[in-house]
Amino acid sequence: MSSSNTRSFTDRLLLIIKGLAMGAANKVPGVSGGVVAFVAGFYEEFISSLQRFNAKSLQLLLRFKFNSFFHYINGRFLGLLTLGMVISYFSVSKLLDYLIVHYELYVWSCFFGMIIGSIYYIIKDFTDWSKKNIGFIILGTFIGILISILEPARENDNLWFVFFCGIIGVSGMTLPGLSGSFILILLGNYVLLLVDSVNSLFDVITMTLQGNFSFVANTETMRLLKVLIVFSLGSVVGLVTLSHILGYVLKHFKSATFALIIGFITGSLGVVWPWKNKVFKTDSIGNIILDAHGNQILDNYNRFFPDMTQQETYFAIFYILFGIGIVLGLELYGKQRRKSIKD
């Protein structure tokens, strides 16, 4: 593990940028923030740092040894990464929301390319092609495809269910290829947890900075804040719990775990296939069903092959190549960085 004390200013800035990328990826259905961590080369440090939230770190806290606690959990690394994610939710992810609305095909194309690049990145260093691991790749691919065709549920703001969504939804950060935001769509709570509640928090922060506390009397705002707090608690529990499980399997079954991850990522290609139309839930007479907040309820996607006579198809292909280039560029940068550190 890299020492948090020896990180240069450039390293710290890059960690924040990586956090931005993870936060943005986590919010986009079909894209996994864990893939960003995997490709950017800090996945294992991320998992091992989360594992340090254990009995020893709790003892340090209870003894008020905050400095020792901070160093023990690799606090600077996690803090800078988290800062990037938080900034992302109020900036990059909002930009992504805009781009998906206005340039949806090109955004999905870029992500599709990035996932192809990620598959290459992992496979090129994977050497254990035993029958067992090939089986794990097939299993992971099957699960990824199955998840992509499941029917989404209805929104549910029961706090116990929201807590469960936090545990499950954070899986995209710890399991490369498994999109936490897409899981939230399947659970019916994507809009509630990653759009409405986050926007509500942004509004509350803005109003507070202006000295306006009228939001306290707004029952809907307070409901969304309560939902966001419970969801965040569930996410923290999920992060720590999953990190301990993943830390164990990475230590004892590393090649099998990587094989399953390769499968997950490959299966997720179906979720981010660029050429698709949204299919919304309808009633018996064909009217689109709206949720409690007036939002259309996503049923699934209608995927199709591109029309090669249209100019936008070739723009989309360009963005697929661009997405691949981003991943390969990150890999090249990582190689040069490691080489410079050795020298």
Side-chain angles (χ1 to χ4, degrees):
M1 184 189 298
S2 301
S3 170
S4 60
N5 290 324
T6 58
R7 296 187 189 279
S8 67
F9 173 77
T10 304
D11 290 332
R12 294 172 187 176
L13 182 60
L14 281 172
L15 260 181
I16 294 174
I17 293 171
K18 289 171 182 177
L20 284 168
M22 277 191 80
N26 283 327
K27 192 171 181 181
V28 178
V31 184
S32 164
V35 170
V36 174
F38 210 98
V39 173
F42 63 92
Y43 178 72
E44 291 191 50
E45 181 176 5
F46 178 58
I47 296 299
S48 65
S49 298
L50 291 173
Q51 280 185 280
R52 295 197 167 218
F53 286 91
N54 51 27
K56 182 176 179 179
S57 62
L58 181 60
Q59 286 179 352
L60 291 171
L61 266 183
L62 293 176
R63 293 173 182 172
F64 303 104
K65 295 183 177 180
F66 300 118
N67 196 42
S68 298
F69 169 79
F70 184 78
H71 286 291
Y72 177 73
I73 64 168
N74 202 10
R76 187 165 294 170
F77 169 81
L78 288 177
L80 292 171
L81 207 58
T82 303
L83 175 62
M85 291 183 207
V86 171
I87 294 172
S88 174
Y89 274 102
F90 297 111
S91 57
V92 177
S93 60
K94 283 189 173 291
L95 174 62
L96 269 175
D97 291 341
Y98 173 84
L99 292 174
I100 286 176
V101 170
H102 295 89
Y103 305 99
E104 186 173 15
L105 174 61
Y106 303 142
V107 172
W108 285 119
S109 297
C110 187
F111 282 127
F112 189 77
M114 289 176 71
I115 290 178
I116 290 175
S118 301
I119 294 170
Y120 162 77
Y121 174 85
I122 301 172
I123 286 180
K124 72 180 180 62
D125 293 325
F126 189 75
T127 56
D128 189 357
W129 294 96
S130 63
K131 289 182 180 179
K132 181 185 72 174
N133 286 338
I134 291 173
F136 277 120
I137 291 173
I138 294 171
L139 175 63
T141 303
F142 175 75
I143 293 172
I145 294 171
L146 182 64
I147 288 172
S148 71
I149 61 177
L150 288 175
E151 182 178 333
R154 289 182 177 274
E155 184 177 295
N156 183 349
D157 66 354
N158 177 278
L159 294 183
W160 283 109
F161 185 71
V162 168
F163 185 79
F164 171 75
C165 286
I167 295 173
I168 298 299
V170 81
S171 60
M173 290 174 64
T174 52
L175 290 170
L178 189 61
S179 169
S181 54
F182 191 73
I183 295 294
L184 291 179
I185 285 179
L186 296 178
L187 294 174
N189 273 2
Y190 175 78
V191 173
L192 173 66
L193 300 174
L194 293 187
V195 179
D196 291 346
S197 60
V198 173
N199 289 341
S200 180
L201 177 62
F202 180 76
D203 292 339
V204 166
I205 292 172
T206 302
M207 293 172 72
T208 301
L209 292 174
Q210 295 172 347
N212 181 357
F213 300 97
S214 60
F215 61 84
V216 176
N218 188 317
T219 54
E220 177 63 10
T221 298
M222 297 309 294
R223 179 186 78 91
L224 289 173
L225 286 179
K226 185 163 59 175
V227 163
L228 183 59
I229 290 170
V230 173
F231 175 67
S232 300
L233 288 173
S235 298
V236 171
V237 170
L239 268 178
V240 175
T241 305
L242 285 172
S243 67
H244 281 277
I245 296 171
L246 280 169
Y248 177 84
V249 297
L250 279 171
K251 182 177 179 180
H252 295 88
F253 311 100
K254 189 168 185 176
S255 62
T257 305
F258 275 42
L260 201 58
I261 287 172
I262 290 170
F264 275 144
I265 297 176
T266 303
S268 72
L269 283 172
V271 181
V272 293
W273 177 253
W275 294 277
K276 60 191 173 188
N277 294 317
K278 291 179 180 177
V279 179
F280 297 100
K281 285 185 178 292
T282 57
D283 58 23
S284 57
I285 58 174
N287 295 319
I288 294 177
I289 301 173
L290 304 178
D291 63 20
H293 309 294
N295 301 304
Q296 296 174 323
I297 301 173
L298 182 67
D299 190 6
N300 219 309
Y301 291 102
N302 178 25
R303 298 171 180 84
F304 56 91
F305 286 103
D307 183 352
M308 300 307 293
T309 64
Q310 294 186 357
Q311 188 180 42
E312 70 172 12
T313 298
Y314 294 95
F315 280 116
I317 292 171
F318 166 78
Y319 280 106
I320 290 174
L321 296 174
F322 180 70
I324 295 172
I326 290 174
V327 176
L328 297 183
L330 280 172
E331 180 200 358
L332 182 62
Y333 174 80
K335 278 184 178 178
Q336 292 175 340
R337 188 76 180 161
R338 287 189 293 271
K339 184 179 178 182
S340 64
I341 290 172
K342 285 180 181 178
D343 295 341

